[in-house]
Amino acid sequence: MGNMKTGNILLLTFTVIAACAWAFPLYWAIVTSIKPEADVVAGTIFLPETIDISSYVWALLETNIVRWYINSIGTSVLITVVVIMISMMCGYALSQIVFPGRRALFLIVLASFMVPSQALVVSQFILMHKFGMVDSWAGIILPQVIIPVVVIVYKQFFDSVPRELREAAKLDGCSEFQILFKLYLPLNWGITAALSIITFIMAWNNFLWPFLVITSEEMMTITVGITQVGDAFGVKYARDMAIAVMAAMPVAIAYLIFQRRVTQAIMLSSGIKG
Amino acid sequence: MSGVSLSNIKKAYGPINVIHDVNIKVEQGEFVVFVGPSGCGKSTLLRMIAGLEETTGGTIDIEGADVTHLEAAKRGVSMVFQSYALYPHLSVFDNMAFSMQIARRPKDEIKQKVDEAARILQLEDHLDRKPSQLSGGQRQRVAIGRAIVRQPKVFLFDEPLSNLDAELRVQMRMEIARLHNQIGATMIYVTHDQVEAMTLADKIVVLKSGSVQQIGSPLDLYDNPDNQFVAGFIGSPKMNFLKGIVNEPRVDGKITITLDDAPNTTFDITCGSATLNAGDAVTVGIRPENIGLEHDETVGPTVFLKPEFTEELGGVSYIHTQTKDGVRVTIERRSERNRVDQEDLQVTLPVRDLFVFDADGARLR
Ligand SMILES: Nc1ncnc2c1ncn2[C@@H]1O[C@H](COP(=O)(O)OP(=O)(O)OP(=O)(O)O)[C@@H](O)[C@H]1O
Ligand SMILES: [Mg+2]
């Protein structure tokens, strides 16, 4: 009994320390962003002496951040919608419809998610260039709409819907589309929500691809945009941190609201990966 | 007009044939039960009628129209599944209304039909619930309701009661019988419970390994089984089978048989037109209720049996015994409780109640 208590306390201490170590940079970023630049350079103070939100005001007024927000939200939402629609239908076909080559197709999907997206960047860029989509939303979105792991998660969930339900729906006169949208989708709302959120976060956080495909400042997503700030105006720590905090804010909020679903989705996709 | 007619139906899964040349005619409004041991192809046959499985050969007619290659929804059949297969995310009302909503029927027509079905099945108070909030019996009633609202030409049931407890099963069995009387539609019902088959059916189809063994009314099958399989399958407890040998071939349509368990007695029995030779093996069958506990050699051969245990059910008791070769024999008693002690019994097998089968199981008498 006593032993277990000591063990618990040790474990607790350890997790608290780990959490602090992990959270400290976040804390530091937020604190830095609300200090006057002079205090930042002076360093060493853990709590701001004077709170100064001028860095945020500057970011809103003097940079293209509103534009970047719109680009990020727009492309991320569209990517999420398209990814979910495509993956759901693809997963349904792989799981429920018998057609020649189904197994081969599934293996291809499986194989394609072993390929790191960085390896495809060059050919994707050439493709987008030929389509005339460089520096446009379409250019950002198209290469990101194929996420094999989402297809695989959907297939697995659809596999576990009892066969009789599908047959009952067939007898009730449903077409395949109706079976998918009136039966399989409502039965899998939870996983759909989880996959949507994690896709949204992935799209929002993506840096490499938008960085390559976007050439003008108006078309940048926020992850690309914030890198421009430092370059153009020299190192101003408070401003850099303010804009970084603003870039992360929507995702952080989304995460806080949908915490449980996100964890579930990460566990699912990593469970399949591992 | 025939309700459903199956002609030369075959089914193969890859190289494996599971249904061989099945021919069944179901009259309109008839209640037909498919029975047979597990894996004999009852569900497969039913699912082919429903259009959920392709047929490998043969034709299926429903009310005169060839539906062999028609898709399931257009055949005018409803199916009730063993697992109920209710849509878990929809209310009871929506479960029953689903097919009409898909067909875009007007709202008041849907409501009227669902209410009607709910009334027949006493589900009016549960229309807003989700399936998970219902008991097993209620779920099964919703599944039946979902079948009713489509007003199908044929109802198909695949072991609809096997997930229910014994008492509820009896009650639902009566409800299904009542439903059949009430709406008079053609019904095909699959079960491996032969009590369900006997009580519900106008006509029973006995299947074994994908072939029809016999088709007939419940009492027909009981009194006049075509072969040893049907004789053993219909009736509970099962018919008893004892091995025997033909002593003398047919004289005046009679043969003389010696039972392995009663080597000292022979008996004459009238047998159809079968050709038998002396020394041929036969199987003699007798139902538990026909075995006489009195020892009376004038009505038939007598056999010694060693009682093992007795099941006392009140009105009836079953004495489970063994012959000296270890063949199990069940005896049914309707009176005289506690008559049996542990001593050996000498029982009589009345010749008029004996069935005789040849070595391949075909009925000789
Ligand atoms: N999809 C399939 N692929 C291969 N064989 C199958 C398939 N479905 C059924 N079978 C085989 O067909 C035979 C008949 O199966 P079926 O389900 O019709 O039996 P059943 O009479 O309904 O049995 P039960 O009483 O256990 O439900 C079985 O031997 C089974 O193994
Ligand atoms: Mg079955």
Side-chain angles (χ1 to χ4, degrees):
Chain A
M1 197 63 205
N3 258 351
M4 225 168 89
K5 236 180 182 167
T6 332
N8 275 348
I9 290 169
L10 268 177
L11 195 67
L12 192 68
T13 322
F14 178 76
T15 30
V16 167
I17 291 172
C20 287
W22 188 84
F24 183 74
L26 286 179
Y27 166 77
W28 195 247
I30 293 170
V31 164
T32 305
S33 72
I34 54 174
K35 286 175 189 171
E37 185 69 26
D39 285 4
V40 177
V41 185
T44 66
I45 1 171
F46 271 72
L47 286 170
E49 288 182 334
T50 46
I51 290 180
D52 175 7
I53 56 162
S54 65
S55 301
Y56 287 92
V57 176
W58 171 85
L60 278 174
L61 298 181
E62 302 294 320
T63 70
N64 260 334
I65 192 164
V66 175
R67 196 55 230 193
W68 299 336
Y69 260 136
I70 293 172
N71 289 336
S72 268
I73 293 172
T75 54
S76 301
V77 166
L78 284 174
I79 287 170
T80 306
V81 170
V82 178
V83 163
I84 293 298
M85 288 300 289
I86 290 183
S87 307
M88 188 167 63
M89 292 196 271
C90 184
Y92 179 80
L94 288 174
S95 156
Q96 300 297 330
I97 298 175
V98 182
F99 56 91
R102 165 165 91 151
R103 190 149 175 78
L105 200 62
F106 180 57
L107 290 177
I108 291 171
V109 173
L110 262 182
S112 69
F113 111 94
M114 322 269 173
V115 182
S117 61
Q118 289 86 341
L120 302 172
V121 161
V122 174
S123 40
Q124 281 173 346
F125 186 85
I126 295 170
L127 205 60
M128 288 305 118
H129 182 71
K130 288 197 170 145
F131 287 167
M133 287 177 179
V134 169
D135 204 26
S136 71
W137 274 23
I140 300 176
I141 292 168
L142 274 189
Q144 296 194 64
V145 296
I146 307 298
I147 307 184
V149 69
V150 180
V151 175
I152 293 162
V153 170
Y154 264 125
K155 177 189 173 325
Q156 301 231 318
F157 271 76
F158 290 165
D159 279 350
S160 64
V161 174
R163 183 176 76 158
E164 280 86 15
L165 278 184
R166 174 186 163 73
E167 292 176 342
K170 265 215 160 126
L171 282 166
D172 275 344
C174 286
S175 64
E176 294 291 349
F177 271 102
Q178 285 170 321
I179 294 178
L180 173 56
F181 286 103
K182 288 184 186 285
L183 191 60
Y184 280 65
L185 179 58
L187 289 180
N188 290 286
W189 267 131
I191 187 62
T192 300
L195 290 171
S196 307
I197 292 153
I198 200 165
T199 306
F200 181 84
I201 293 176
M202 263 159 51
W204 183 279
N205 284 346
N206 198 355
F207 172 75
L208 180 63
W209 177 250
F211 180 70
L212 289 175
V213 81
I214 295 304
T215 50
S216 67
E217 210 181 299
E218 279 77 60
M219 294 309 294
M220 283 176 186
T221 60
I222 197 148
T223 45
V224 181
I226 58 174
T227 64
Q228 300 299 299
V229 176
D231 288 349
F233 305 98
V235 183
K236 289 238 163 70
Y237 294 107
R239 290 180 178 181
D240 279 3
M241 287 304 133
I243 207 159
V245 168
M246 287 169 84
M249 199 65 75
V251 175
I253 292 170
Y255 179 77
L256 284 179
I257 297 175
F258 300 109
Q259 202 170 10
R260 254 200 15 227
R261 294 257 177 250
V262 177
T263 321
Q264 185 193 359
I266 291 172
M267 274 162 55
L268 282 171
S269 42
S270 62
I272 286 166
K273 264 179 195 169
Chain B
M1 183 167 43
S2 77
V4 178
S5 110
L6 308 180
S7 324
N8 303 315
I9 290 295
K10 296 184 190 60
K11 175 71 188 178
Y13 288 109
I16 305 159
N17 290 315
V18 297
I19 302 284
H20 315 277
D21 257 325
V22 164
N23 290 287
I24 299 171
K25 247 194 172 49
V26 179
E27 298 304 324
Q28 202 168 14
E30 203 169 27
F31 198 121
V32 172
V33 176
F34 294 174
V35 289
S38 190
C40 68
K42 310 178 291 287
S43 299
T44 306
L45 209 51
L46 200 71
R47 293 162 52 77
M48 285 197 285
I49 298 171
L52 298 171
E53 290 297 339
E54 297 278 332
T55 41
T56 311
T59 54
I60 302 172
D61 276 28
I62 294 179
E63 300 198 348
D66 183 347
V67 299
T68 317
H69 301 291
L70 204 61
E71 62 184 275
K74 300 207 171 125
R75 293 186 179 196
V77 302
S78 281
M79 185 146 167
V80 177
F81 296 86
Q82 177 177 355
S83 59
Y84 318 134
L86 299 177
Y87 309 123
H89 60 298
L90 298 180
S91 68
V92 168
F93 182 94
D94 286 331
N95 260 283
M96 294 204 268
F98 192 70
S99 61
M100 288 185 289
Q101 285 164 351
I102 292 292
R104 299 187 186 287
R105 310 298 307 165
K107 275 229 162 56
D108 15 315
E109 181 193 332
I110 294 179
K111 178 148 175 37
Q112 182 235 321
K113 280 196 180 152
V114 172
D115 285 346
E116 165 79 10
R119 194 182 51 73
I120 295 176
L121 295 163
Q122 294 146 23
L123 284 167
E124 290 124 313
D125 299 336
H126 308 302
L127 285 175
D128 296 327
R129 297 215 198 153
K130 290 278 166 63
S132 58
Q133 298 165 316
L134 299 176
S135 71
Q138 288 165 338
R139 283 179 210 184
Q140 195 51 277
R141 284 209 287 269
V142 177
I144 294 171
R146 186 171 65 180
I148 291 177
V149 295
R150 297 185 50 215
Q151 297 183 318
K153 297 178 185 134
V154 184
F155 283 85
L156 305 173
F157 297 88
D158 192 352
E159 305 198 24
L161 307 185
S162 52
N163 285 355
L164 303 177
D165 64 45
E167 197 178 332
L168 205 52
R169 199 145 65 204
V170 174
Q171 187 191 335
M172 285 302 294
R173 198 167 75 202
M174 291 192 303
E175 285 193 36
I176 290 176
R178 183 168 58 85
L179 184 74
H180 181 240
N181 286 336
Q182 208 167 346
I183 61 182
T186 310
M187 294 189 178
I188 302 180
Y189 187 105
V190 163
T191 179
H192 55 237
D193 176 348
Q194 54 95 20
V195 178
E196 260 171 46
M198 297 294 281
T199 51
L200 285 171
D202 295 325
K203 193 155 90 184
I204 294 180
V205 177
V206 183
L207 292 161
K208 179 192 172 197
S209 314
S211 305
V212 174
Q213 298 294 306
Q214 192 173 353
I215 302 179
S217 74
L219 292 181
D220 249 7
L221 298 192
Y222 191 83
D223 296 338
N224 258 321
D226 277 352
N227 56 43
Q228 192 180 341
F229 177 80
V230 176
F233 196 80
I234 301 289
S236 172
K238 281 162 69 98
M239 185 184 282
N240 301 299
F241 295 111
L242 294 166
K243 294 270 174 230
I245 225 165
V246 178
N247 246 1
E248 281 166 40
R250 189 145 56 100
V251 185
D252 308 333
K254 287 197 171 194
I255 54 171
T256 308
I257 294 174
T258 309
L259 288 176
D260 294 2
D261 288 296
N264 303 325
T265 54
T266 61
F267 61 97
D268 292 344
I269 195 163
T270 316
C271 263
S273 53
T275 50
L276 284 170
N277 301 314
D280 282 355
V282 291
T283 303
V284 172
I286 183 157
R287 295 211 180 268
E289 68 266 29
N290 293 333
I291 297 179
L293 280 176
E294 293 76 27
H295 167 205
D296 180 359
E297 269 164 22
T298 56
V299 290
T302 60
V303 180
F304 283 100
L305 296 173
K306 186 168 180 48
E308 299 210 295
F309 63 96
T310 306
E311 288 176 308
E312 298 278 6
L313 301 179
V316 60
S317 33
Y318 300 112
I319 309 165
H320 296 271
T321 66
Q322 273 193 9
T323 66
K324 68 177 187 330
D325 295 338
V327 179
R328 289 181 194 287
V329 174
T330 308
I331 305 168
E332 177 182 317
R333 297 304 313 156
R334 290 247 158 230
S335 53
E336 304 172 86
R337 285 191 207 177
N338 308 324
R339 223 212 83 140
V340 187
D341 24 47
Q342 288 306 307
E343 285 160 32
D344 278 10
L345 295 168
Q346 190 176 14
V347 298
T348 308
L349 315 177
V351 170
R352 70 184 141 84
D353 295 323
L354 293 182
F355 296 87
V356 181
F357 306 96
D358 70 13
D360 301 325
R363 171 98 178 269
L364 300 174
R365 182 205 128 103

